[in-house]
Amino acid sequence: FDPRHYLGTHCHGFPKTGPHRLRFLLESVKDLRETLKKKGSTLVVRKGRPEDVVRDLITQLGSVSAVVFHEEVRETL
């Protein structure tokens, strides 16, 4: 979870993630983790800036052959 996603928007300062959206997101992540556990896998969840968290995870894991990510599209007015 990137803390920057819970700040105000770029243009008008409105919250990007309100309480209902946050609850939905947390419930979805919990459900995904439970589904993966049933299949013998797991889900790593971290809070922090992705550029820091991913680097730390790669260091902890040691042998990483690929990293895949997506970037949020920002509206420009």
Side-chain angles (χ1 to χ4, degrees):
F1 291 95
D2 186 343
R4 295 172 290 194
H5 287 194
Y6 305 96
L7 302 174
T9 58
H10 303 287
C11 298
H12 304 289
F14 295 111
K16 290 172 100 175
T17 305
H20 300 293
R21 183 175 181 188
L22 179 58
R23 184 178 331 120
F24 173 78
L25 178 61
L26 293 173
E27 289 173 357
S28 298
V29 168
K30 180 181 176 184
D31 183 65
L32 176 58
R33 177 180 270 163
E34 291 171 1
T35 300
L36 289 169
K37 279 186 180 181
K38 289 177 186 174
K39 296 182 179 288
S41 189
T42 190
L43 178 66
V44 175
V45 179
R46 296 287 187 268
K47 176 184 171 190
R49 295 166 38 118
E51 55 270 27
D52 300 327
V53 172
V54 172
R55 182 190 63 235
D56 294 344
L57 282 172
I58 291 170
T59 300
Q60 289 174 9
L61 295 171
S63 176
V64 175
S65 59
V67 175
V68 180
F69 68 95
H70 78 91
E71 184 175 357
E72 181 179 357
V73 176
R74 291 185 179 187
E75 267 187 60
T76 56
L77 299 176

